[in-house]
Amino acid sequence: MTSIVANLMVTAASMVTDADVSTARLGQRFGRLDLASQLALLAVEKLGGDFATLSRVGICLAARIGSLSTDLDFWNGRDAVGGPSPTLFAYTLPSAAIGEIAIRYKLTGPNLCFVGASTVALTEAGDMLERGEADVCVCVSVNVVSPAAATLLGVVPAAQACALMLARVAVGSCRRLESDRDMESVCAIHCGHNSRN
């Protein structure tokens, strides 16, 4: 089932949590990724898209608190024998998950990474499609708040991601997206439709 959001058609949606990561089988590389990249990659994998048949696929990623959880893990490793992990260093950028998605699916289209709320990812994906920079856009929202980051920020720990595959539809043929709509609610609505079918 597809649904229409703004001038975008949602062709697939998925939601994952850290519980899904423990059972994921996405190759040897998957195990060495940070949790945010694992969740983002798994959410895209669950979209079920045949990326080999698509050209000009864009990626928009929203990382709720950036790479703070991974940054803290890296920083805390400075006192470990041998110092902080060089493998973990690669994931101290919020955009690291985009690279992992692009590598796995051989995507070479435009990509954008945002730190904060996921509403901007949907807006930017729509703009990317409207401008003709991509034919399809994969939007991913990642919220990873480790216990250390939760203590620092005074919030509850979290580990989840959602993904949408979006395509453009003709202007005027569908309703506009409310300006405060976030990816999580769009995914929840769409995934809820799929579970009833």
Side-chain angles (χ1 to χ4, degrees):
M1 176 179 186
T2 60
S3 63
I4 297 179
V5 177
N7 292 328
L8 306 177
M9 180 171 52
V10 178
T11 61
S14 71
M15 299 177 85
V16 296
T17 67
D18 55 341
D20 298 305
V21 170
S22 63
T23 59
R25 301 292 176 254
L26 296 178
Q28 293 177 341
R29 182 178 173 85
F30 186 75
R32 61 178 207 199
L33 308 181
D34 72 323
L35 182 57
S37 295
Q38 287 178 329
L39 286 166
L41 195 60
L42 186 56
V44 172
E45 182 74 14
K46 289 194 177 252
L47 289 174
D50 185 3
F51 293 103
T53 63
L54 299 171
S55 62
R56 298 187 336 133
V57 178
I59 305 169
C60 285
L61 181 131
R64 176 85 38 114
I65 65 165
S67 58
L68 181 62
S69 293
T70 303
D71 297 345
L72 288 170
D73 288 346
F74 181 77
W75 178 253
N76 291 335
R78 73 192 182 286
D79 294 329
V81 175
S85 166
T87 304
L88 193 57
F89 178 72
Y91 300 99
T92 59
L93 291 172
S95 60
I98 290 175
E100 294 299 337
I101 293 166
I103 289 167
R104 178 160 179 87
Y105 300 105
K106 299 176 177 58
L107 304 180
T108 58
N111 59 73
L112 298 165
C113 178
F114 305 95
V115 175
S118 63
T119 53
V120 70
L122 284 174
T123 302
E124 290 297 326
D127 289 347
M128 187 184 292
L129 293 168
E130 182 69 30
R131 290 187 302 264
E133 296 172 2
D135 298 323
V136 174
C137 190
V138 174
C139 278
V140 183
S141 174
V142 180
N143 184 23
V144 173
V145 183
S146 66
T151 300
L152 182 69
L153 298 173
V155 297
V156 202
Q160 65 229 8
C162 65
L164 296 167
M165 186 174 295
L166 306 171
R168 186 171 174 256
V169 295
V171 176
S173 67
C174 53
R175 64 182 171 79
R176 301 293 294 176
L177 176 68
E178 297 85 11
S179 60
D180 63 346
R181 183 59 57 106
D182 57 53
M183 283 189 51
E184 295 80 3
S185 63
V186 174
C187 282
I189 291 166
H190 191 77
C191 289
H193 287 172
N194 288 342
S195 67
R196 288 194 294 268
N197 291 332

